[in-house]
Amino acid sequence: MKLPNLITDPNTLAGLSHDEAEWAPAGTPYAALRPQSTEDVQRAVKACAEHSVPIVPRGAGTGLSGGANATNGCLVLDLSRMNRIIEIDRDNLLAVVQPGVVNDDLKKAVAAQGLWYPPDPASSPWSTIGGNVATNAGGLCCLKYGVTRDYVLGLEAVLGGPVPYGTAVRLGRRTTKGVAGYDLTSLLVGSEGTLGVVTEITVRLRPAPRPADTVVGAFDSLVAAGQAVALSTSRGLQPAALELIDRACLQAVEDWKHLGIEPDTEAMLLARAETPDADGLVAAFTDAGAVWTERSTDSTEAEALFAARRLTYPALERLGPLLTEDVCVPRSAVPAMLAHIEEIGARHQVRIATIAHAGDGNLHPLLITPPGDDNARIAAQAAFEDIIDQALALGGTVTGEHGVGLLKRDGMIRELGPGAHAVQQAIKHALDPLNLFNPGKA
């Protein structure tokens, strides 16, 4: 296959062949390419179609489900160099970016004009907008402000199937409203690169947010913290963020970064809210049995606490291989799900630390295993599947934001059922009859 600037060095390919889901299998790519324009992507897709070479797109590789993992003989399209912010339209509250733009870089650029891009995954200092689009990433403030799909107005994508492979197609709009035709933009958001390669994204912006208070509650058990979440929801409170961090997570961050956060209870709830919701959260935490509750307007103190939440995953990685869950349950079922997670960990003798976007029911149990312990690895995988089954039994879903990738394929099929699964397979076949785009995923 003749393409300029192909990367074939084995060491470089090894680094580009997987994301952060170290438990997910990865193949050996034929080569990699770092395009800098839509035209580069078009040429690559056309050449791959002619030679039956699969295409695996990737951004920063911060995913946690294996969605960017290479398949044997594929071309990895590393989109990280397509990193231009093409336009910031302050009058119409939108921006146009290439997929390799880092989430926090976009936030900083629009903040300089008094604007805000709300989606904020914990990986926002490193993850790219294209990767966020691929998985429909959420984040800490999506409870009140929504996930990536809520902010994508339009896309440019290089497609195949109904059009010749390598054709760039524009989807969506720039207007606030628009209902012309099927919503193909939303179809591609969350499709994990299985329907085409996104090369440009038009996102909705908001005015800069007003300052908010931070409310912290400490609890003597995970279940008690979950009960506080359910109570806050039933009272109609709408914080911008409502995060759960257990003792193990806080201790791991403190041991690593020494932020001065001394975990003295089993679980902490961390909320960001405007008055009067902040007042309501204090009352809800207290009524649910919090050991203590505090409200702060100190932005430095608040940022230290939210920094601890964002650092949890890398802090726990230092302790051993991590298998990261991403189930989401109805908010009223959060206490029951947390209880099931504790029971499953004890039954399989697997160490589980838990963080959660608790306000929207998105739980991230982190299963920790000693390096090189195959029995512990097998036990963790069994616990992983049991957690999925319990989430489904409670009316939940196998993934709230990390995507299906490789780790959740079986769980997704159990969730969808044969009818919905058949519809999804038909869509994939119609838009990618050669099964060229990220085969074997989702």
Side-chain angles (χ1 to χ4, degrees):
M1 186 170 64
K2 294 182 180 180
L3 283 171
N5 304 316
L6 279 180
I7 299 166
T8 57
D9 173 67
N11 292 328
T12 304
L13 290 181
L16 294 174
S17 66
H18 60 87
D19 63 15
E20 292 294 317
E22 62 179 289
W23 291 54
T28 302
Y30 161 75
L33 183 68
R34 292 188 171 116
Q36 298 188 41
S37 68
T38 298
E39 291 74 21
D40 289 347
V41 175
Q42 289 182 272
R43 283 190 289 271
V45 170
K46 182 179 179 181
C48 285
E50 290 172 351
H51 293 85
S52 300
V53 174
I55 297 168
V56 176
R58 64 172 279 131
T62 60
L64 294 169
S65 67
N69 283 17
T71 56
N72 287 331
C74 75
L75 176 69
V76 172
L77 274 184
D78 176 6
L79 301 168
S80 60
R81 292 189 181 177
M82 293 181 65
N83 57 4
R84 288 192 303 117
I85 297 175
I86 298 169
E87 177 187 2
I88 298 173
D89 184 342
R90 194 174 187 280
D91 291 336
N92 292 300
L93 296 177
L94 63 84
V96 182
V97 303
Q98 290 184 310
V101 171
V102 171
N103 184 294
D104 272 7
D105 289 346
L106 176 60
K107 288 182 183 295
K108 291 172 186 174
V110 302
Q113 299 194 32
L115 303 173
W116 182 36
Y117 177 66
D120 63 338
S123 60
S124 63
W126 314 284
S127 64
T128 62
I129 300 298
N132 295 168
V133 168
T135 60
N136 190 25
L140 276 64
C141 75
C142 65
L143 170 60
K144 184 172 184 177
Y145 294 105
V147 296
T148 299
R149 180 177 282 118
D150 299 309
Y151 291 87
V152 177
L153 289 169
L155 297 170
E156 177 187 73
V158 177
L159 305 176
V163 294
Y165 276 87
T167 302
V169 178
R170 288 197 171 272
L171 309 171
R173 62 193 193 278
R174 290 173 63 100
T175 55
T176 302
K177 297 170 67 177
V179 292
Y182 297 125
D183 189 355
L184 299 179
T185 302
S186 291
L187 177 63
L188 260 66
V189 177
S191 65
E192 302 184 38
T194 61
L195 302 178
V197 182
V198 172
T199 55
E200 188 179 285
I201 304 139
T202 301
V203 296
R204 186 195 314 270
L205 303 175
R206 296 176 64 101
R210 285 179 277 180
D213 291 352
T214 299
V215 179
V216 183
F219 299 83
D220 58 12
S221 73
L222 274 178
V223 173
Q227 290 168 341
V229 172
L231 184 59
S232 300
T233 300
S234 68
R235 290 181 177 179
L237 302 177
Q238 287 191 306
L242 179 52
E243 299 291 302
L244 181 147
I245 319 172
D246 76 0
R247 178 193 284 269
C249 295
L250 287 169
Q251 191 65 60
V253 172
E254 181 59 26
D255 291 345
W256 181 32
K257 291 295 185 180
H258 308 293
L259 298 177
I261 300 170
E262 295 297 334
D264 56 0
T265 51
E266 290 305 309
M268 178 181 291
L269 286 179
L270 180 61
R272 182 175 284 152
E274 300 172 4
T275 306
D277 281 337
D279 297 329
L281 288 167
V282 170
F285 291 3
T286 302
D287 292 347
V291 176
W292 55 261
T293 303
E294 291 184 3
R295 177 177 175 178
S296 173
T297 57
D298 184 329
S299 61
T300 301
E301 180 182 61
E303 285 309 311
L305 289 168
F306 279 97
R309 165 61 182 87
R310 294 181 185 278
L311 289 168
T312 296
Y313 186 84
L316 287 169
E317 272 190 315
R318 299 168 66 247
L319 306 180
L322 285 182
L323 183 55
T324 306
E325 267 288 10
D326 173 39
V327 293
C328 191
V329 297
R331 287 176 286 186
S332 61
V334 167
M337 190 66 220
L338 289 169
H340 285 306
I341 289 168
E342 290 189 314
E343 183 275 324
I344 289 168
R347 174 157 45 86
H348 289 281
Q349 297 184 334
V350 174
R351 182 181 179 189
I352 301 179
T354 300
I355 53 177
H357 305 307
D360 55 19
N362 190 188
L363 311 180
H364 297 319
L366 305 168
L367 292 76
I368 308 167
T369 60
D373 189 331
D374 288 340
N375 289 331
R377 189 183 186 93
I378 292 169
Q381 288 171 323
F384 183 86
E385 295 299 327
D386 282 357
I387 291 172
I388 288 174
D389 287 340
Q390 285 293 345
L392 295 178
L394 291 171
T397 178
V398 300
T399 174
E401 60 183 3
H402 292 170
V404 174
L406 293 170
L407 294 181
K408 296 293 184 77
R409 287 183 303 178
D410 292 342
M412 181 194 73
I413 293 170
R414 297 201 296 275
E415 176 182 338
L416 293 177
H421 186 225
V423 171
Q424 296 216 14
Q425 287 181 311
I427 292 171
K428 166 67 171 173
H429 181 71
L431 297 185
D432 181 22
L434 298 181
N435 196 24
L436 199 74
F437 296 118
N438 214 5
K441 312 291 173 56

